């Protein structure tokens, strides 16, 4: 948030009465609002962009010549579970920031299921010192299947409302259609309280089509990250839901969705990218949201449209486009500099005006935080697990048929 003094300071810098902190000279700025590539300079002061006007000539305490490379907004993951990466928020920075990702929207359902409201608050302590924005989608899946599991805690109406009061909490996390179609009053109350705060409710509408989808959307659900077919995608657009195009480790939906957008000439304003669940190994091998951008361009999408889906569309959806999502005056200076959008790592990544990664390497030292013992001692087994626990008894001596779970 901006104070009066900060606003006045940046106005004075813009007027040339004071020096700005940094200027990025000679960039080809990808403008997600005007949909043009502008050859210009970017003036930055106190974490924010002051001017992108090509005719402006302000004095800066530091200059970086970007040598006609592209400048585009820091990339945004619209829905992810950082627990699936197997990394802490601090370690996650070393993984995703060098790829140009400067914002994530995290549904901490795994932490919440074992540690509840207190667990989410513990994670938020980490968010204060990260070189990326960690926004929260407060989980509605705690427990995910009431009555069928034993969780460490419950996110009830009171917990949800307290967590939604935090500045980092921008939405109510993915909600199961069954909880709406069965008219579960507690969950309906959570939705109502969230909407009253002018925050949004995320969806999780696996396989829902037709009238059921209409009822689901009528409850105030604004998006879904579970589309796997063209028809699912189009039906969500029809009822006013945004679509998060997911490309994770087990769920690979990007090619289908992007091809459908291009084949049907669909407007891209209501599409965003997300990883949902992406393992560290897959990210290291191919990239993060930058991979989604690269692959979309390979499939034939316009470069600027791909960047919009990865940046300003998400910022608008979560109602924080005044802070992030574009390289424009007043916004936080989350900027990626790259010779070519097809390269695995961008050349430079700026977070709030600071150069934090270069050529795939983190420049900022991220202090490893010691988490309390109680949050690392949450799984309680009634019986010990050893190799015998996985044995299957059979009357046959050599081989037999057993039931197994396969991944589709």
């Amino acid at each position: 948030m901006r104070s009066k003094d900060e606003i006045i300071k940046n106005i004075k810098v813009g007027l040339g009465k004071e020096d700005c902190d940094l200027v990025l000279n000679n960039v080809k700025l990808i403008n997600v609002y005007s949909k043009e590539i502008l050859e210009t300079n970017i003036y930055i002061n106190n974490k924010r962009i002051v001017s992108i006007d090509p005719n402006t000539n302000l004095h800066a305490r530091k200059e970086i010549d970007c040598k006609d490379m592209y400048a585009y907004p820091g990339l945004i993951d619209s829905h992810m579970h950082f627990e699936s990466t197997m990394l802490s928020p601090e370690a996650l920075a070393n993984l995703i920031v060098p790829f140009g990702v400067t914002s994530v929207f995290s549904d901490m359902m795994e932490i919440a299921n074992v540690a509840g409201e207190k667990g989410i608050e513990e994670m938020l302590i980490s968010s204060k010192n990260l070189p990326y924005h960690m926004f929260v989608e407060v989980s509605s899946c705690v427990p995910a299947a009431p009555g069928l599991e034993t969780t460490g805690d419950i996110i009830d109406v009171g917990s949800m409302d307290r967590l939604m009061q935090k500045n980092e909490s921008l939405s109510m996390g993915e909600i199961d259609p069954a909880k709406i179609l069965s008219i579960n009053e507690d969950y309906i109350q959570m939705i109502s309280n969230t909407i009253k705060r002018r925050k949004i409710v995320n969806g999780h509408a696996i396989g829902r089509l037709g009238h059921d989808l209409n009822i689901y959307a009528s409850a105030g659900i604004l998006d879904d990250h579970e589309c796997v077919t063209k028809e699912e995608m189009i039906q969500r657009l029809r009822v006013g839901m945004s679509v998060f195009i997911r490309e994770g480790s087990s769920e690979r939906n990007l090619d289908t969705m992007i091809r459908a957008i291009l084949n049907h000439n669909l407007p891209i304003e209501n599409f965003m990218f997300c990883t949902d669940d992406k393992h560290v190994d897959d990210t290291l091998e191919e990239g993060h949201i930058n991979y989604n951008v690269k692959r979309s361009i390979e499939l034939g999408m316009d470069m600027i449209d791909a960047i919009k889906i990865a940046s300003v569309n998400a910022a608008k959806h979560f109602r924080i486009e005044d802070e992030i999502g574009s390289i424009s005056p007043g916004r936080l200076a989350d900027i990626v500099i790259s010779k070519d959008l097809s390269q695995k790592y961008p050349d430079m990544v700026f977070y709030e005006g600071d150069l934090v990664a270069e050529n795939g390497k983190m420049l900022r030292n991220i202090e490893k935080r010691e988490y309390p013992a109680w949050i690392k001692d949450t799984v309680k087994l009634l019986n010990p697990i050893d190799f015998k626990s996985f044995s299957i008894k059979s009357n046959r001596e050599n081989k037999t048929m057993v039931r197994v779970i396969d991944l589709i």
Side-chain angles (χ1 to χ4, degrees):
M1 304 298 288
R2 282 167 275 195
S3 69
K4 182 188 75 172
D5 289 343
E6 288 172 331
I7 294 171
I8 291 174
K9 176 83 170 176
N10 282 351
I11 292 173
K12 287 181 177 179
V13 167
L15 293 172
K17 295 181 178 181
E18 298 181 16
D19 293 346
C20 67
D21 294 331
L22 172 67
V23 58
L24 304 180
N25 287 323
N26 304 314
V27 301
K28 292 189 288 190
L29 191 158
I30 297 177
N31 194 305
V32 294
Y33 283 115
S34 63
K35 199 176 179 182
E36 62 182 338
I37 297 176
L38 183 67
E39 294 185 1
T40 188
N41 308 309
I42 305 171
Y43 292 92
I44 299 166
N45 191 71
N46 193 28
K47 301 182 180 181
R48 296 186 182 272
I49 298 163
V50 174
S51 177
I52 59 171
D53 179 61
N55 298 314
T56 295
N57 187 18
L58 301 175
H59 189 267
R61 284 182 283 274
K62 183 177 181 180
E63 297 185 13
I64 297 177
D65 185 359
C66 296
K67 301 176 182 177
D68 294 321
M69 290 190 281
Y70 291 108
Y72 55 89
L75 305 179
I76 300 173
D77 189 339
S78 298
H79 174 75
M80 58 86 70
H81 305 282
F82 76 82
E83 302 95 329
S84 303
T85 68
M86 310 299 176
L87 299 174
S88 68
E90 294 85 357
L92 185 65
N94 291 309
L95 177 66
I96 66 172
V97 172
F99 287 119
V101 178
T102 57
S103 297
V104 301
F105 289 83
S106 177
D107 184 330
M108 304 181 190
M109 61 177 291
E110 286 87 351
I111 288 292
N113 266 287
V114 297
E117 179 181 356
K118 187 179 177 183
I120 293 178
E121 290 178 339
E122 187 66 36
M123 294 297 103
L124 285 175
I125 295 173
S126 297
S127 70
K128 310 299 182 185
N129 299 309
L130 298 173
Y132 65 93
H133 307 287
M134 187 174 80
F135 301 111
V136 178
E137 300 170 344
V138 182
S139 179
S140 66
C141 300
V142 185
L148 295 179
E149 57 186 322
T150 303
T151 57
D153 211 328
I154 295 172
I155 299 294
D156 58 15
V157 174
S159 301
M160 176 67 71
D161 202 44
R162 286 189 294 273
L163 288 167
M164 289 300 294
Q165 293 177 39
K166 298 182 179 297
N167 291 332
E168 299 92 341
S169 301
L170 297 186
S171 67
M172 175 178 166
E174 53 183 301
I175 184 164
D176 186 341
K179 292 167 182 171
I180 292 173
L181 299 177
S182 66
I183 315 181
N184 186 309
E185 293 196 14
D186 283 348
Y187 288 99
I188 302 299
Q189 187 65 60
M190 291 182 193
I191 293 171
S192 175
N193 291 347
T194 300
I195 293 172
K196 286 177 183 176
R197 293 186 182 280
R198 296 303 300 150
K199 297 183 179 183
I200 70 171
V201 182
N202 303 127
H204 187 265
I206 298 175
R208 296 289 176 169
L209 296 168
H211 188 54
D212 277 359
L213 182 65
N214 277 255
I215 299 171
Y216 183 64
S218 76
I221 315 305
L222 291 185
D223 56 59
D224 186 26
H225 62 275
E226 293 289 344
C227 292
V228 298
T229 69
K230 175 193 72 175
E231 184 60 27
E232 287 176 336
M233 178 186 76
I234 290 175
Q235 286 207 22
R236 278 146 186 75
L237 293 177
R238 285 175 183 161
V239 299
M241 294 174 67
S242 293
V243 173
F244 294 175
I245 299 172
R246 175 177 52 185
E247 189 74 2
S249 289
S250 62
E251 300 292 343
R252 298 277 182 167
N253 309 134
L254 185 141
D255 281 26
T256 299
M257 298 297 106
I258 295 298
R259 286 191 175 110
I261 292 170
L262 297 174
N263 291 340
H264 293 269
N265 195 29
L266 295 172
I268 55 94
E269 278 67 28
N270 292 315
F271 290 100
M272 283 139 268
F273 288 131
C274 79
T275 57
D276 196 9
D277 299 293
K278 190 163 187 176
H279 194 269
V280 58
D281 290 345
D282 292 323
T283 302
L284 283 171
E285 181 179 346
E286 63 188 19
H288 201 257
I289 297 299
N290 64 317
Y291 170 80
N292 297 19
V293 172
K294 174 186 173 183
R295 180 60 183 155
S296 297
I297 295 170
E298 289 172 350
L299 291 169
M301 177 166 278
D302 175 80
M303 178 177 69
I304 301 179
D305 282 346
I307 291 293
K308 287 182 67 174
I309 293 174
S311 59
V312 72
N313 286 8
K316 287 182 177 180
H317 184 69
F318 286 93
R319 300 170 182 170
I320 53 170
E321 71 271 22
D322 60 321
E323 289 285 281
I324 64 172
S326 67
I327 301 176
S328 51
R331 275 68 172 188
L332 290 168
D334 301 338
I335 300 168
V336 184
I337 304 294
S338 187
K339 289 187 289 289
D340 185 343
L341 271 64
S342 68
Q343 62 195 67
K344 184 174 181 179
Y345 289 103
D347 293 81
M348 291 181 280
V349 181
F350 292 84
Y351 171 73
E352 294 188 346
D354 287 336
L355 180 61
V356 293
E358 191 169 15
N359 297 316
K361 304 295 183 182
M362 283 295 296
L363 301 180
R364 180 185 290 187
N365 182 39
I366 304 163
E367 184 177 349
K368 182 180 178 182
R369 180 169 161 249
E370 184 59 41
Y371 285 83
W374 61 264
I375 205 170
K376 295 184 284 187
D377 183 28
T378 58
V379 178
K380 310 295 182 182
L381 301 178
L382 296 178
N383 298 300
I385 299 292
D386 58 24
F387 75 95
K388 294 180 181 178
S389 304
F390 298 92
S391 65
I392 300 173
K393 294 181 180 180
S394 172
N395 294 326
R396 298 185 181 183
E397 292 184 4
N398 295 321
K399 59 182 179 180
T400 188
M401 298 289 289
V402 298
R403 298 182 184 275
V404 298
I405 297 175
D406 192 14
L407 178 64
I408 300 175

